[in-house]
Amino acid sequence: MATAVRVRYAPSPTGQPHIGNIRTALFNWLFARRNGGKFIVRIEDTDQTRLTPGAVEAILDGLRWLNIDWDEGPEVGGPHSPYEQSRRLEVYRRMAEQLVDQGNAYYCYCSREELERLRRASRGAGAAPYSGGGCNCRRMGRAGAVGEPEGDDSRVVRFAMPESGVTQVRDLIRGDVEWRNELQEDFIILKSDGFPTYHLAVVADDHLMEISHVMRAEEWLPSTPRHLQLYSALGFQPPEFAHLPMITGTDRAKLSKRHGATAIGEYREQGYLPEALLNFMVLLGWSLDGSTEVMPLQTIIDHFTIDRITKSAAIFDQDKLLWMNGVYIRELDANELARRMTPFIPRELDGDEQDYLGRIAPLVQERLKRLDESGEVTAYFFGELPDYDPATLAQRGMDAIDALIALQLALDVINRDTKDGNFDHKRVESSLKSAEQRLELSRRQFFGLLRVAATGRAVSPPLFETMEVLGRKRVLFRLSQAIELLLHQQSYLEKSYLALPEMLNHLNRSTAPAILAMSKCLRPETDKAILLMAERLRARTESAIRKFVKHLTLERGNVTEIQRILELIPKKDDALIKEVAWRLDGGHYQAVLNWLEQLRLEDPEFRYSNRAGENDTNRHFGG
RNA sequence: GGGGCGUUCGUCUAGCGGCCCAGGACACCGCCCUCUCAAGGCGGAGAUCAGGGGUUCGAAUCCCCUACGCCCUACCA
């Protein structure tokens, strides 16, 4: 019967968990899950000088975030506790002693300086440094060890490598690999501080913890012969070995800080989905079939076999990860998306806002690549619209007048069509599309304008859906706000009123009854403003009129009647004036009045927004 | 210097002697869709399979050599 699969992830807590390390953990974990085996986490904290506070927690958090669970290890314990090597020193010390007793290891008293000298000398010699007893300790040590003082704090224990023959490993990924023993050096197994080196500790623990397969990064391949010799000297049955390809930066060098984000925590903070990162990482060195890339975890587990692991190192391709993250985001249920976006929204959300976010989420879903874009991409849904440049309102090929006209029309039409409070996007769409037909604007221009007015941006999710989610109140307010913004722009202001003085001219002279009635509706302040404008703008009235004529559509019952009037008053065309005037009725005077009222903006004392809603304009018309 | 591993489009990869003058994906380019941005659809460009020798009727696939890259060469893991 085949031995049970027991694999392990053995990180050393020397810093933030690395993408490369975590990928190793992932492969081990997948292998365990695939084979119904156990996945063990063991902390290799044998280097006291490199310990980093919080590193163990960070490693464990990284695993938990990716949903990689462990059957034995820190926090969960297990039959081979403890799982921190610093708490198992006795085990290693005993084994080291046993090896010394057996003659497989010896005490070495060489100073670091001597060692360094030896090392340099051996460089050009073609042999491994102090191999086969390069220093004298091996030869004299065995005999001399007996007489040495116990606990000498400068001595280390070195393993005595065989001086001939080869050590061979049958790597599950790389096949047979062999090394000549004479080229191997006598490596240290127990340091002078009493801690084991990696080599002794892994072998001891992998054996004691009954590890069946050692899957680790390729950088460990060169030390495998040491481990094998250790197993043999200790009389242990070695496990299977599989050396995983490394993950490198774009320069093909071992991944390091200068390659950008390498710590798994950074990916979490940048809004990568753990399932996306996991899926992506597994593809770095493993493939299902060469064409299936995005796949559920269960599929990965079901098909995860060592024979499909690649041999060569892989560059970590951020672009592809980003793409895959987008894929996973799009696959999320809207509520789930909202839930995951929440931590990335830079404001506390109350219950209502959380619901609101739930409605926003589907809109931004397919244009979100990372969760950390959440704040940015939803900003205009919350609170007031931040200042935006009114110049962005008018789309290509439009000027402020076009924008003003279209905005006013949209405002009126939406206001009228959704009075009952039903503000779904279909309704808004049909309403705005009918309005669009009355304007000489392309759809792109009209909706582009409205988009800026509603969101403050040139780019957003589809307009009508966005408006629906924003809600009637916000939309209406923002449209009028946009109008106001435009009017506040000095240069635009002038243009927008170009036609008014001319109109005033005609009002004063014309005899058309409707126009007279209209002038009666003008309140004194407004009148004054118009006169002021007239003076200022006299020189340009001609072109202004032409401008308005362009926007004219003749249709009864149209709020844009005001524009028509303006447009229909070219000089010497009283007939036309009459024609328009004739079409006016009470309802349109309202529009006229609204329009004229905006003039008051010219005079700061008559802020439009301060007065809006206050005026009982109907009074002037007598109902 | 020594030892080891690796080498298929820019990147991740498929390929285990004929199905491959090499397939998929990301990125890139173009078109379509379209109210913007995305998403999506369609199409394009992109690899003399590191180079050279063999073996074979036939090689990206097997063997050898060379080159290049990377890893190890610490009382670090």
Side-chain angles (χ1 to χ4, degrees):
Chain A
M1 174 188 155
T3 50
V5 166
R6 287 176 59 82
V7 290
R8 100 280 125 124
Y9 168 49
S12 66
T14 56
Q16 291 304 305
H18 205 256
I19 279 292
N21 287 321
I22 293 288
R23 203 276 314 250
T24 299
L26 173 61
F27 275 33
N28 276 283
W29 179 76
L30 288 170
F31 186 69
R33 294 296 169 257
R34 162 70 219 264
N35 296 291
K38 299 284 189 214
F39 176 64
I40 293 135
V41 171
R42 184 177 67 221
I43 305 299
E44 310 225 322
D45 50 354
T46 55
D47 184 355
Q48 294 300 97
T49 65
R50 294 206 311 154
L51 293 184
T52 307
V56 173
E57 249 328 291
I59 289 165
L60 265 22
D61 277 346
L63 293 176
R64 270 189 287 262
W65 179 61
L66 283 168
N67 254 306
I68 294 177
D69 57 334
W70 55 101
D71 306 299
E72 296 174 27
E75 298 185 0
V76 303
H80 301 287
S81 288
Y83 291 88
E84 293 83 22
Q85 292 185 328
S86 59
R87 295 171 58 199
R88 324 178 100 242
L89 299 183
E90 192 50 32
V91 171
Y92 315 122
R93 201 184 55 76
R94 250 200 323 268
M95 281 190 195
E97 276 171 7
Q98 179 197 334
L99 288 169
V100 172
D101 290 346
Q102 290 173 187
N104 287 307
Y106 58 93
Y107 292 105
C108 173
Y109 299 88
C110 294
S111 67
R112 288 170 206 257
E113 293 71 38
E114 287 175 84
L115 259 17
E116 184 54 37
R117 196 168 42 74
L118 243 32
R119 207 173 292 144
R120 255 197 299 271
S122 66
R123 269 277 156 155
Y130 51 94
S131 61
C135 71
N136 271 335
C137 302
R138 177 164 178 176
R139 267 175 290 280
M140 51 182 283
R142 209 174 310 180
V146 184
E148 291 302 332
E150 290 285 326
D152 182 320
D153 62 2
S154 71
R155 69 179 186 180
V156 299
V157 178
R158 300 190 100 99
F159 183 78
M161 280 297 281
E163 295 177 273
S164 62
V166 298
T167 301
Q168 188 189 65
V169 64
R170 175 152 296 179
D171 189 273
L172 263 19
I173 292 171
R174 274 148 233 285
D176 291 340
V177 183
E178 55 178 48
W179 297 264
R180 284 161 62 194
N181 293 149
E182 67 199 79
L183 264 22
Q184 298 292 318
E185 65 184 47
D186 288 355
F187 56 99
I188 293 172
I189 57 177
L190 202 66
K191 298 184 269 190
S192 57
D193 64 358
F195 279 72
T197 58
Y198 170 82
H199 305 108
L200 207 217
V202 251
V203 169
D205 288 342
D206 283 345
H207 172 257
L208 260 17
M209 295 179 182
E210 302 173 78
I211 298 304
S212 63
H213 301 257
V214 169
M215 294 172 80
R216 62 198 348 178
E218 189 192 351
E219 62 198 273
W220 292 111
L221 225 206
S223 56
T224 306
R226 298 174 169 187
H227 304 337
L228 254 11
Q229 285 303 145
L230 235 19
Y231 275 105
S232 148
L234 257 5
F236 300 156
Q237 172 73 32
E240 299 282 351
F241 287 92
H243 289 276
L244 270 18
M246 304 211 306
I247 295 178
T248 73
T250 44
D251 57 358
R252 296 231 171 254
K254 203 171 167 181
L255 209 56
S256 70
K257 339 289 150 319
R258 72 195 161 80
H259 290 116
T262 54
I264 187 147
E266 293 178 70
Y267 288 88
R268 194 220 280 247
E269 283 160 20
Q270 286 172 18
Y272 285 96
L273 265 35
E275 54 270 54
L277 183 60
L278 188 153
N279 192 154
F280 176 74
M281 281 195 299
V282 79
L283 256 19
L284 255 28
W286 177 86
S287 69
L288 175 62
D289 57 12
S291 60
T292 311
E293 301 205 306
V294 177
M295 59 194 123
L297 178 59
Q298 195 53 52
T299 302
I300 297 173
I301 291 174
D302 290 344
H303 298 270
F304 191 82
T305 53
I306 290 180
D307 63 310
R308 292 207 60 84
I309 295 176
T310 315
K311 287 183 172 66
S312 53
I315 291 175
F316 192 87
D317 182 2
Q318 298 274 355
D319 277 346
K320 189 157 183 173
L321 203 215
L322 190 61
W323 162 78
M324 190 169 283
N325 202 51
V327 172
Y328 272 87
I329 284 177
R330 271 169 253 136
E331 282 177 356
L332 253 27
D333 164 70
N335 287 323
E336 176 63 11
L337 208 215
R339 198 180 66 72
R340 301 222 203 181
M341 285 169 72
T342 306
F344 292 93
I345 304 279
R347 51 147 60 205
E348 288 298 314
L349 301 181
D350 59 33
D352 287 348
E353 287 174 320
Q354 191 62 48
D355 291 344
Y356 185 37
L357 183 60
R359 276 176 284 130
I360 296 169
L363 291 184
V364 299
Q365 187 158 29
E366 69 188 21
R367 49 219 103 208
L368 209 55
K369 279 200 157 50
R370 300 194 329 205
L371 259 20
D372 65 349
E373 297 160 359
S374 299
E376 160 68 17
V377 94
T378 61
Y380 55 83
F381 282 98
F382 296 97
E384 301 219 358
L385 222 44
D387 287 341
Y388 60 91
D389 182 0
T392 59
L393 247 8
Q395 304 294 293
R396 179 187 284 276
M398 296 170 68
D399 61 22
I401 296 173
D402 301 316
L404 235 14
I405 292 168
L407 244 16
Q408 185 63 244
L409 176 62
L411 181 60
D412 291 337
V413 128
I414 291 177
N415 185 252
R416 184 193 66 202
D417 294 346
T418 62
K419 274 232 157 52
D420 62 1
N422 182 351
F423 199 67
D424 69 81
H425 68 273
K426 292 239 187 276
R427 193 79 168 269
V428 177
E429 177 169 5
S430 68
S431 184
L432 287 175
K433 281 197 169 156
S434 70
E436 178 213 344
Q437 291 172 353
R438 298 198 235 142
L439 294 165
E440 280 190 5
L441 292 177
S442 67
R443 204 160 260 202
R444 189 192 184 89
Q445 290 173 313
F446 186 40
F447 294 159
L449 163 71
L450 296 178
R451 162 167 294 109
V452 175
T455 69
R457 303 189 183 184
V459 171
S460 86
L463 224 212
F464 314 116
E465 283 87 338
T466 302
M467 284 183 161
E468 174 181 329
V469 172
L470 280 168
R472 185 170 194 269
K473 207 176 137 198
R474 262 199 206 85
V475 170
L476 255 23
F477 176 72
R478 288 181 182 183
L479 290 185
S480 59
Q481 209 178 20
I483 290 171
E484 195 176 328
L485 258 177
L486 275 180
L487 294 174
H488 271 292
Q489 288 292 101
Q490 197 55 273
S491 57
Y492 291 8
L493 193 60
E494 293 185 359
K495 283 189 195 166
S496 352
Y497 291 126
L498 284 183
L500 288 172
E502 188 63 17
M503 176 184 172
L504 189 60
N505 255 339
H506 287 277
L507 285 176
N508 291 342
R509 287 197 307 239
S510 171
T511 55
I515 291 180
L516 280 174
M518 224 172 86
S519 78
K520 261 190 271 172
C521 298
L522 296 175
R523 305 198 316 197
E525 317 92 86
T526 313
D527 228 74
K528 195 173 141 205
I530 292 174
L531 284 165
L532 281 170
M533 287 297 289
E535 280 204 37
R536 280 180 53 189
L537 303 172
R538 202 179 336 258
R540 278 175 284 177
T541 48
E542 281 264 23
S543 64
I545 290 169
R546 254 181 267 120
K547 181 85 229 177
F548 278 104
V549 168
K550 211 183 90 189
H551 293 290
L552 177 71
T553 55
L554 278 175
E555 182 188 306
R556 201 182 169 89
N558 185 347
V559 234
T560 53
E561 237 74 344
I562 177 58
Q563 282 104 48
R564 293 184 198 158
I565 293 166
L566 302 177
E567 290 152 4
L568 284 174
I569 308 181
K571 288 167 186 156
K572 307 171 197 105
D573 199 348
D574 285 351
L576 207 47
I577 295 171
K578 281 181 198 164
E579 162 74 11
V580 174
W582 180 79
R583 288 167 181 267
L584 294 172
D585 61 31
H588 301 122
Y589 290 131
Q590 171 71 57
V592 170
L593 191 65
N594 283 345
W595 176 267
L596 292 176
E597 197 166 50
Q598 286 166 7
L599 273 176
R600 292 186 298 126
L601 290 168
E602 175 66 10
D603 183 343
E605 291 187 322
F606 299 103
R607 290 291 310 272
Y608 175 73
S609 55
N610 291 343
R611 294 299 183 90
E614 262 178 44
N615 316 307
D616 182 4
T617 47
N618 281 337
R619 198 177 49 203
H620 301 289
F621 298 99

